[in-house]
Amino acid sequence: MERLVICPGSFDPITKGHEDIIRRAATLFDRVVVVVGANPEKRGLFTVEERAELIRRTCADLPNVEVDQFDGLLIDYVRRRKAVAIVKGLRAVSDFDYEFQMALTNKKLMADAETIFLTPNSDNMYLSSSMVRQIGHFGGDISPFIPEAILETVRQRMERTRTE
Ligand code: PNS
């Protein structure tokens, strides 16, 4: 049986940190489904569709990676896809509370739901989309943080929102 895992996130936008986790998950499992979920309380830099497209471009060379989007509870999506686990990156200690809470809540909703945490490489330890958005907003260089394949698109969007 194919071992399929779900890599969920808001990915606004995907960073080199996310890319690193997805690439490593793709070597460990048969199929990786990267799913974009939106936080309805937050207005994003990119729409959910755009974020999914940026991930597709970033992972275009990975044949066992699929990109999708979801609404509602993550665990319903996990169930529907018959995934064996949710895979997430765990960066610094500051992530732990939030991620642990989510993993345990998901387990409460679905008893056999497993969350597997991968450690990022040390370059990406402190990287987050919100930091990158902030750097971009104030005109800083985002190239160390954003995958090469989508850098220009992300730069242009940040430029546009700066002048709006
Ligand atoms: O790591 P992120 O980017 O904050 O993850 C966001 C996302 C979309 C994966 C998360 O908020 C989520 O799973 N939302 C769906 C709602 C849900 O299932 N909530 C219950 C688990 S806490």
Side-chain angles (χ1 to χ4, degrees), residues 2-155:
E2 186 181 66
R3 298 182 76 77
L4 180 150
V5 292
I6 306 290
C7 266
S10 33
F11 302 107
D12 188 32
I14 182 172
T15 65
K16 285 187 178 175
H18 297 127
E19 181 189 7
D20 166 46
I21 298 293
I22 296 165
R23 285 184 182 277
R24 273 187 296 128
T27 67
L28 293 169
F29 299 97
D30 299 322
R31 176 161 286 273
V32 176
V33 185
V34 184
V35 280
V36 184
N39 182 342
E41 285 147 35
K42 274 198 228 159
R43 185 173 165 263
L45 178 66
F46 290 95
T47 66
V48 170
E49 289 75 16
E50 287 170 333
R51 293 177 212 176
E53 189 47 36
L54 294 175
I55 302 168
R56 277 188 201 102
R57 278 164 56 190
T58 303
C59 301
D61 61 316
L62 299 172
N64 62 336
V65 172
E66 177 190 323
V67 185
D68 197 4
Q69 52 198 70
F70 79 105
D71 264 330
L73 287 179
L74 176 63
I75 218 64
D76 289 336
Y77 186 88
V78 168
R79 217 179 255 125
R80 193 164 77 242
R81 295 301 306 258
K82 299 185 172 53
V84 295
I86 297 164
V87 172
K88 297 210 79 178
L90 193 61
R91 293 164 302 185
V93 182
S94 51
D95 271 353
F96 185 78
D97 256 4
Y98 172 68
E99 293 296 346
F100 199 59
Q101 200 179 353
M102 272 209 289
L104 288 180
T105 308
N106 284 331
K107 226 173 174 32
K108 220 30 176 193
L109 295 171
M110 179 181 160
D112 57 351
E114 295 299 345
T115 301
I116 297 172
F117 293 108
L118 296 183
T119 44
N121 68 35
S122 53
D123 282 356
N124 299 324
M125 243 5 226
Y126 292 95
L127 190 49
S128 74
S129 299
S130 57
M131 291 269 183
V132 176
R133 286 199 302 273
Q134 212 173 92
I135 295 166
H137 180 76
F138 292 111
D141 178 17
I142 58 166
S143 64
F145 316 117
I146 296 293
E148 184 64 36
I150 61 165
L151 183 58
E152 217 28 62
T153 309
V154 177
R155 263 202 191 122

